[in-house]
Amino acid sequence: MSGAASSAAGSKLTAFMNHPAGPKTVFFWGPMMKWGLVAAGLKDLQRPAEKLSVPQNLGAAYLSTLFSLRNRTLVATDWAKTKVFGRDVSRE
């Protein structure tokens, strides 16, 4: 690899590592762990039913329930309409 190409690759790697949502933060690893659970569940589709782990599936169901309950309590606001009308008119 030439010197210019290696320095460009090095600067991209440095920019990725030091990004505010890069691998040094929870904003990177939280979704990575969640997608890891999804991948494990998809891998289980190939296994016979007798070999499935009940605790793992209960844990996945529990986490999915927690995430869905959390998402129902979050209130989405249409910021553009709020800025224009002074309130969120989509909720009226």
Side-chain angles (χ1 to χ4, degrees), residues 4-63:
S6 66
S7 68
S11 67
K12 286 189 178 207
L13 179 64
T14 303
F16 172 70
M17 291 297 291
N18 294 326
H19 191 272
K24 294 181 180 179
T25 66
V26 71
F27 304 110
F28 179 83
W29 292 108
M32 288 294 289
M33 293 301 293
K34 181 69 173 147
W35 281 108
L37 292 173
V38 171
L42 290 174
K43 182 93 168 118
D44 277 347
L45 292 175
Q46 299 172 351
R47 297 174 67 187
E50 308 85 45
K51 293 193 172 191
L52 293 178
S53 168
V54 174
Q56 177 184 353
N57 285 314
L58 288 175
Y62 177 72
L63 280 176

Side-chain angles (χ1 to χ4, degrees), residues 64-86:
S64 296
T65 303
L66 285 179
F67 280 114
S68 67
L69 290 175
R70 177 181 167 267
N71 289 339
R72 278 193 223 140
T73 60
L74 294 176
V75 177
T77 302
D78 188 345
W79 291 106
K81 289 179 183 173
T82 304
K83 191 77 165 168
V84 172
F85 297 108

